[in-house]
Amino acid sequence: MLPKKKYALLNIYHSMNDGFFDAVPVLLTFVALAYGLGEKEIGMVVSFGTALGTVAGLATIFLSRYLSPLRTISLLIGVGGVGFVAVFFYSDFLFVGVNFTVVMFGYSLFHNICFSYLTVHTERKKLGRILSDFTAIGDIGRIPFIALAGYMSAFTFFNVSGWKFVSFLFGIIGIISAVFLFVYSKDDTVEDRFVHARSDIPSLKIL
């Protein structure tokens, strides 16, 4: 059975992962206003980011063979944090869009890792409740990130556009959280089921 502390950590990082993902379209709305763009450009970034995340999810076993579940999660949150921070330093929409796709990159992979991890470390009779609670907590936990992104983006902070300030704030939170989890998970081991799984990456025919 998964220790309560680890389960709580998974829920916290689940909320963060989902919150980062759902905050991107909100921030892009203000980016579009700042650059005088329309819904087409926003849709392209969100669509490409979602597609990239889906393809990345196919490499779950491949990545998990080398990193433990918690360290994989820390890597994904860290990459998202770096993407957010990078948005702060770019003024060209192309680079802003690319960095937002980086933020969205780990969404599917994160869920694959977490659901698999919970399934293996939960008693079968409790599995349904654990997975449903985990899903619900992630859905609820994302709300503050979305609300904060929408509210703060409407203001200017120290002559910096609100959406850039929020991106930087989320990025710092993501990077610090990733470092914390990476250090905390030093004793976390790679799952045997991944080590002995087939070595090839799933065929893209599934798409």
Side-chain angles (χ1 to χ4, degrees), residues 134-155:
F134 180 73
T135 301
I137 292 172
D139 288 339
I140 295 171
R142 72 176 69 185
I143 295 174
F145 289 92
I146 302 170
L148 190 65
Y151 180 75
M152 295 185 67
S153 293
F155 298 93

Side-chain angles (χ1 to χ4, degrees), residues 181-200:
L181 185 59
F182 190 85
V183 174
Y184 171 82
S185 61
K186 61 182 179 180
D187 297 325
D188 202 39
T189 57
V190 177
E191 300 281 340
D192 287 339
R193 62 205 167 90
F194 286 124
V195 173
H196 301 296
R198 292 179 59 186
S199 59
D200 57 322

